[in-house]
Amino acid sequence: LVEADLSNDAFPFYSARETYLGSIPVTMLRLSYAGELGWEIYAPTEYGGQLWEAIADAGEAYDIAPIGWEALDSTSMEKGFRLWGTDITPEYNPYEAGIGFAVDLDTDFVGKDALLDAREDGIEEEIVPITLDEPGTVVDAGHPVLVDDEVVAYACRADYGYSIDAGIAYAYLPTEYTDAGQSVEIEYENERHDATVRSGPLFDPQRDKMIR
């Protein structure tokens, strides 16, 4: 359906192209919140229904199926992609959130001096993925993470990872507890669940599935 060259060389990750999908003018972003090879496609509102039908019809031979937000939320957590309002809030700086690489310090922006100070001072807490030890166990965000019976953080995001078959939570832990393999507990509905700090991403850490 797509007029543009979708090869990795012609359309690399995190780039955008204006092209046509069938007869529909679209802007395509080589970006997938699911963490695998994919694109976000933007079109004028009046083409929305036509765009949906074109993709559905062309994909029928490949058993294409739509997914909902919960599935996308789960896959993005496995991939370690951050979500504004949960993983990322004004309470934390980019270095604590593990996305300092995305900050262009060669440009001027509001808050740059404060961010430089934060980078110089170092961080005292950092977001990490945590997996529940018992298969099939899932918790919710907002619940305490404990080490040696002491509450050290609260889960900022949680879901079940179906690709890795484990419950996942993210939390900003003090840096002394962020090493992979650190044992923690998450308290949920008056029960404590054993869990383990992991290094991320939990799924496709070599990014093999993001390249054509």
Side-chain angles (χ1 to χ4, degrees), residues 13 31-38 72 75-81 201 203-205 207-211:
F13 178 72
L31 181 67
S32 168
Y33 198 52
E36 294 196 27
L37 179 66
L72 191 60
T75 55
S76 70
M77 286 191 64
E78 291 179 320
K79 191 61 179 176
F81 287 163
F203 178 77
D204 188 31
R207 296 162 56 106
D208 294 333
K209 291 183 176 291
M210 298 180 70
I211 304 299

Side-chain angles (χ1 to χ4, degrees), residues 10 18-19 39 48 52 60 72 88 99 103 114 128 130 139 145-146 150 194 202 212:
E18 291 185 350
T19 184
W39 285 262
W52 177 275
E60 187 173 355
L72 191 60
I88 308 172
I99 54 172
V103 180
V128 292
I130 301 169
V139 298
V145 180
L146 303 95
E150 178 185 358
D194 292 333
L202 301 170
R212 177 179 291 278

